[in-house]
Amino acid sequence: MGLVFAALPRRSRSTMYDFKADAGLEPPELYRQLRNAADALTAGEPDGVANMANVAALLWEFVPNLNWAGFYRMTDAKEGSSELVLGPFVGRPACIRIPLGSGVCGAAAQSGKTQLVEDVLAFPGHIACDSASRSELVVPVMRGGIVIAVIDLDSPEPARFSQEDAEGIEALARTLSDRI
Ligand code: SME
């Protein structure tokens, strides 16, 4: 079944949504549909937590073979010491605060660059929130040239994520820049 959101009133916040990816999509089309669904769900909604929560749920629905999908948000810089704090996600309970530069998420937040890790066990400083994780993709969400959050996807499958996955999530991050 295709997406049905186009038929739904965009601004109704009590609507039942039925977002699903078509089966067997190639990554470019899968991420195009995911981004369209995220755009429809977040457009006009000013609450960033609500938007991150719905996008975490969409990631879980659309992207196959994940064990964790969600957000870490950058805290405000206080005395030069920003850190990441856990945001909305789907998966097992996770580490709450991550210093910049620490682990895969901290590396993405510090550098402002996507981290595509084929083998988390070989990544120096990887933070094991869920021992099932074997590969990871972390993409910064930027606003005005500053990292405001990261999108974190974990998989139990080694080398689960490709450059196409990275590009799909980067496009999603651009859509979310002023919505979270
Ligand atoms: N593994 C991450 C920590 C976050 S959890 O995977 C949800 C890291 O090394 O940054």
Side-chain angles (χ1 to χ4, degrees):
M1 182 187 67
L3 294 172
V4 297
F5 67 85
L8 298 172
R10 282 169 73 100
R11 293 185 187 278
S12 165
R13 290 300 179 253
S14 56
T15 303
M16 184 182 78
Y17 296 107
D18 185 13
F19 296 100
K20 285 251 180 295
D22 294 328
L25 291 178
E26 293 300 317
E29 178 59 17
L30 181 142
Y31 286 107
R32 194 190 66 75
Q33 293 192 8
L34 167 56
R35 206 164 59 252
N36 282 347
D39 181 42
L41 269 175
T42 60
E45 173 49 61
D47 192 292
V49 172
N51 289 338
M52 284 185 278
N54 264 334
V55 172
L58 285 177
L59 288 164
W60 191 258
E61 289 281 345
F62 276 72
V63 183
N65 208 6
L66 301 181
N67 62 307
W68 203 91
F71 291 83
Y72 279 87
R73 298 162 295 130
M74 191 78 98
T75 59
D76 289 336
K78 286 193 187 114
E79 296 157 13
S81 61
S82 298
E83 60 186 356
L84 292 169
V85 65
L86 184 63
F89 68 94
V90 182
R92 301 190 75 182
C95 329
I96 300 168
R97 289 180 185 269
I98 297 178
L100 289 197
S102 180
V104 186
C105 291
Q110 189 169 58
S111 64
K113 306 254 185 274
T114 293
Q115 305 290 311
L116 202 171
V117 180
E118 295 193 344
D119 176 5
V120 293
L121 302 179
F123 188 92
H126 169 252
I127 301 165
C129 293
D130 181 342
S131 62
S133 297
R134 284 294 171 272
S135 56
E136 185 160 357
L137 173 62
V138 183
V139 173
V141 183
M142 315 286 291
R143 187 188 301 146
I146 291 169
V147 177
I148 57 165
V150 299
I151 300 171
D152 182 13
L153 301 181
D154 286 49
S155 173
E157 178 185 321
R160 155 70 185 81
F161 303 104
S162 66
Q163 193 54 38
E164 286 182 318
D165 293 297
E167 286 165 15
I169 299 296
E170 285 166 352
L172 174 67
R174 289 192 291 277
T175 299
L176 298 178
S177 172
D178 58 358
R179 300 187 185 185
I180 64 171

